[in-house]
Structures are given as structure tokens and as C-alpha cells.
Amino acid sequence: RGKLFANLGVATVEDLFYLFPRRYEDRRRLTPIGQLRAGEWQTAAGEVLAKDGHRTYWNKKHVFEVTVADEPGRVRVIWFNQPYLENYFHAGDRVVVHGRVEVFKEKLQMVSPEYEIIAPEDEGLSTGRIVPVYPLTKGMGQRYLRKVMHAALERHARDLPDLLPPEVRHSQGLEPLGEAISQLHFPDDEEAQEAADKRVSFE
């Protein structure tokens, strides 16, 4: 694991805190699959009903497809040349997908979206909130990195040295550094994330 973190430039807990999300997904109110709109980038969640891997007859490209549903809505999710995904997805898995919605033969589909299998124990960090999406290295997933980040923040965020004098923080309306770092990773809402970004930018 240390080698994987080193690939991300992380050698210490403090380095980890400064590995900021590259974006966020608002999973407080996921779009029901039946309400997905073609032509837009959207995030939806559902259960894997079926999966199928095959090669196209014209160019032999490998196609892997799953059907994701949140009754009554269904969406086809497709990836090309990623046969290993057949071992990753299983019927009954709960999955979150983020990508551009298209219509093909009058059915909704997403091609090569970002995806994440959500285990029951991960619900608190991966759904029902604004969720951080981190830069990754091969061999490391979002779920694992979120769990490590959350545990590290709970134990050590208060230990971050805050070099700004309290009077400067108060005059500028800035949060303590540890609080801001925590909100940048797991913001309570958009306003909290913006305030945290202002604090770290000032730093």
C-alpha cells in the first residue's frame, strides 16, 4: 500500500491530507434512472440485474455490458476492451455510475462511465452525501482511499499545525486549518466546501 501511495506523492499523513479530490459527486439526491436525460452528464445508482461480455463480429472488439436498474428505470452500461470487468460486476451488486447519457435503439445507455460498486458498509462515505472523487493509481480504488482518508482525518486533522494567528483568521473569516482540510475532503454542503477552499487558498 505504501508503494501505491508513493505513486500519488504521499509519504506521510500530512501528504495524504493534501491529496485533494479532483472533483465531487453530489450523491445526496441521485437521479432516478427513469429520469436520466440524454445528452447530459449525470450520476445514478441501481442494482446490477445482468451482465454480458462478448466480441463484436465486425472488428472483434471486446464489449462488456451490464444492466443497472432502480425499478422501474433501467440503463445499459457499456465498456470496450475491458474484459476484466466481467470478474468485477455481479448480479445484485449496488453500483453508482457517472457518465454521459445516450439513447440507442430507444433505450438509455452510458458508454465507458466512471463506476463504483458500493458495499453496505461503505454507504456512509459513498452515498447520501457530497462524495470526493480522488486521483488514483493502478491498484487503488475510490472506496479504499475514502476509508483511509476519513480514518486519518478523524485521528489527526486536529494535529495539523496552523500557522495563521487567530486574529488573522478572525479578521479574514477563515476556519482553523484542520477543520478546513476535513471539509475539503468530506464537505457538509457546497458552502462548507467553498469556505474550506478559501481557507486553504489563503494558506
Side-chain angles (χ1 to χ4, degrees):
R1 295 295 186 180
K3 291 179 181 178
L4 295 181
F5 277 109
N7 291 339
L8 296 170
V10 174
T12 68
V13 173
E14 188 170 5
D15 292 340
L16 181 68
F17 290 162
Y18 284 92
L19 180 67
F20 294 131
R22 57 186 175 85
R23 64 179 180 84
Y24 300 90
E25 286 183 7
D26 189 346
R27 297 184 185 173
R28 293 172 297 181
R29 296 176 294 277
L30 293 170
T31 304
I33 292 174
Q35 296 177 23
L36 291 173
R37 297 178 295 278
E40 296 187 15
W41 288 79
Q42 294 179 284
T43 304
E47 180 181 327
V48 174
L49 294 187
K51 64 178 183 177
D52 174 56
H54 60 274
R55 292 190 178 276
T56 58
Y57 65 86
W58 61 90
N59 62 6
K60 305 304 181 184
K61 181 181 290 187
H62 186 275
V63 180
F64 177 66
E65 174 183 332
V66 296
T67 301
V68 179
D70 65 349
E71 295 300 341
R74 294 190 179 195
V75 61
R76 296 169 63 222
V77 186
I78 301 167
W79 293 270
F80 296 104
N81 293 326
Q82 298 185 54
Y84 61 88
L85 291 179
E86 294 186 44
N87 299 319
Y88 185 74
F89 287 91
H90 301 91
D93 284 345
R94 178 167 167 77
V95 60
V96 175
V97 289
H98 172 81
R100 182 179 171 84
V101 182
E102 303 172 356
V103 175
F104 180 72
K105 294 184 177 179
E106 299 183 355
K107 293 183 178 180
L108 292 174
Q109 70 175 27
M110 287 184 180
V111 178
S112 299
E114 294 187 22
Y115 58 89
E116 189 177 337
I117 303 294
I118 305 297
E121 64 270 20
D122 296 330
E123 291 279 346
L125 294 181
S126 298
T127 58
R129 65 182 307 148
I130 297 175
V131 175
V133 179
Y134 292 100
L136 296 175
T137 186
K138 186 177 181 181
M140 182 180 291
Q142 294 290 344
R143 286 162 53 193
Y144 172 77
L145 185 47
R146 278 191 210 114
K147 287 163 72 173
V148 170
M149 188 72 75
H150 190 264
L153 287 166
E154 285 203 324
R155 290 187 181 187
H156 300 296
R158 296 181 187 87
D159 300 333
L160 275 170
D162 198 329
L163 303 181
L164 284 183
E167 58 269 20
V168 174
R169 290 206 315 267
H170 295 153
S171 67
Q172 299 295 321
L174 301 172
E175 302 175 339
L177 182 59
E179 212 172 286
I181 293 287
S182 295
Q183 286 295 324
L184 269 179
H185 289 285
F186 296 99
D188 294 331
D189 50 38
E190 291 87 349
E191 291 75 17
Q193 189 270 327
E194 289 174 6
D197 188 60
K198 176 183 175 184
R199 170 64 174 91
V200 174
S201 297
F202 189 91
E203 185 86 2

